[in-house]
Amino acid sequence: MTAMFSRIDQRHGGGHARTAVVQYLTTDVAAYLNGHFTDDHVRREMFSAAGELAYLSGWMAFDNAQHALAQRYFTTAVSLAAQADDAPMAGHVLRAMAHQAVDLGHPGHALNVAVASVEGDRYALATPRERALLGVVHARALAAVGQKKAAVAALLRAEDDLSSARPGDEDPARVFFFGEASLAHETACTLRDIGDLNGAQQQFRRSVRTRAASSFTRTHAVTLGYLGAVQARQGAVEEACATWSRALDSMDGIHSARARRTATDMRRALSPVRGRGISMVAELDHRAAAYLAESA
C-alpha cells in the first residue's frame, strides 16, 4: 500500500490522495499496531512499515505546503522507527525534515537535523543508495548555512555512495525514487545555493535528461522550473522561457504546492520584462497565471 501511494505522490503530487493515505494510517494501520504479534521481529517490522507510511503522509503534506501537519507526521514516523529499532528509517525521516527546513528558510535547524540523519547507525546501517540520499540533503543544509567546502565534500561523498550501490542491495522500498536524476537535482540545488550557477545548470540538465518523467512527473516539473530560474538569473531569458514552457507542460494533473511555487517564481522572474512586448514572455506569463488559477 505504501509503495502504491508513493508512486501516486511521485506522479501526481502530495495534494493527490493524501486523505486516503491518512485514512489508511489512522484506521487499518493503527489497528495493526494495537494488535498481537507472533514475535518481536514481526512487531518491529510492523512498526517500521507503519513509520514509512507516516513518513509518506508527512512528505505529501510537505509537498502540499501543509507544513505544520507534515512536521507532526514526521515526528510520528521517527517515533515509530524508534519503536522498530530501525535506525536507517529514522535517518530517512530526519533527512526529510532537514529538506523541509531548508525550503522554509531555517538553515540552522536544517543543518542540525541533517547532521543527526547521518550520525551513527542511521548512516552506517543504511544501504549505499539511502546513504547517498541522506548525504546529498546534508550537503544542501551545509550550503544553506554558507559552509561551501563542507557542502562540496558532502556532495562528493553522496556521489560515491550512489556509485557503490548495486542491483543486489536490499534497498528499502522508500528509496525506489532515488537514482542519478534525484542526486543530480539535489546536487544542482546545492551548487545553486553556493553560487555556482553554471554547475547548477549542468546538474539540472543532467537530472532532466536522466529522469523517467512519466513516473516522476512532479519532481520533473519542479526540476525544469528550477533550471529555468537559473537560466533567467544568468540572463538567458528566451532559454528560460523555453524551459519554463516545458515545466508547465509537465504540470498538467499535478497537485503540488512546490509545483505551484515554481509557477509563481517564474512569473516573478518575468515581471521586469513583462511589459516589453516579447510574445514568448507574454504567452508564458499567461500560461503560468492560468495554471495557478486552475490549481488553486
Side-chain angles (χ1 to χ4, degrees):
M1 288 293 286
T2 301
M4 179 190 73
F5 283 130
S6 294
R7 282 165 172 76
I8 290 172
D9 168 64
Q10 290 287 344
R11 174 63 184 86
H12 297 288
H16 188 91
R18 196 190 69 79
T19 301
V21 175
V22 172
Q23 180 71 15
Y24 180 57
L25 176 66
T26 56
T27 54
D28 298 61
V29 177
Y32 297 153
L33 297 180
N34 288 316
H36 298 284
F37 304 98
T38 55
D39 56 45
D40 191 58
H41 173 74
V42 173
R43 183 196 66 80
R44 286 188 284 106
E45 288 289 297
M46 181 61 75
F47 273 81
S48 182
E52 192 162 336
L53 188 65
Y55 150 75
L56 179 61
S57 300
W59 183 261
M60 294 175 81
F62 159 56
D63 185 61
N64 206 38
Q66 297 169 287
H67 293 297
L69 193 60
Q71 290 167 1
R72 192 178 91 194
Y73 280 111
F74 286 152
T75 301
T76 298
V78 171
S79 177
L80 288 167
Q83 289 283 335
D85 194 24
D86 188 342
M89 179 70 224
H92 189 87
V93 182
L94 291 170
R95 177 275 317 175
M97 296 172 78
H99 190 150
Q100 181 187 36
V102 169
D103 275 20
L104 292 178
H106 305 303
H109 177 64
L111 183 57
N112 289 338
V113 180
V115 167
S117 77
V118 295
E119 284 182 336
D121 286 347
R122 295 170 190 145
Y123 179 86
L125 297 182
T127 63
R129 185 175 305 278
E130 190 156 44
R131 289 180 188 176
L133 174 56
L134 302 181
V136 78
V137 176
H138 181 213
R140 287 198 64 185
L142 288 164
V145 298
Q147 295 187 28
K148 295 183 180 182
K149 290 183 178 180
V152 171
L155 286 178
L156 293 174
R157 185 174 73 165
E159 186 86 38
D160 287 345
D161 279 335
L162 187 60
S163 295
S164 66
R166 296 291 180 267
D169 293 342
E170 295 183 2
D171 285 317
R174 60 182 173 265
V175 297
F176 80 98
F177 69 92
F178 190 78
E180 181 182 358
S182 294
L183 179 67
H185 173 99
E186 299 298 346
T187 297
C189 289
T190 303
L191 295 175
R192 177 199 61 197
D193 293 348
I194 63 176
D196 181 2
L197 297 186
N198 288 331
Q201 182 170 177
Q202 181 183 24
Q203 290 298 317
F204 279 134
R205 288 186 180 280
R206 175 187 173 197
S207 181
V208 170
R209 185 177 66 253
T210 57
R211 179 174 287 110
S214 60
S215 297
F216 304 100
T217 313
R218 184 263 319 281
T219 308
H220 183 68
V222 172
T223 302
L224 285 167
Y226 289 172
L227 172 59
V230 168
Q231 291 167 336
R233 286 175 61 182
Q234 294 179 299
V237 176
E238 290 188 2
E239 188 177 19
C241 285
T243 300
W244 279 330
S245 181
R246 292 173 63 195
L248 288 170
D249 290 343
S250 300
M251 288 181 195
D252 185 38
I254 299 295
H255 301 276
S256 163
R258 287 192 292 162
R260 283 179 52 80
R261 190 172 68 186
T262 63
T264 300
D265 289 346
M266 70 177 71
R267 296 198 72 203
R268 185 180 297 113
L270 291 172
S271 60
V273 296
R274 191 175 294 151
R276 296 183 185 176
I278 304 172
S279 59
M280 180 180 289
V281 170
E283 179 185 354
L284 185 68
D285 185 64
H286 175 76
R287 287 187 63 197
Y291 169 75
L292 290 169
E294 291 167 2
S295 61

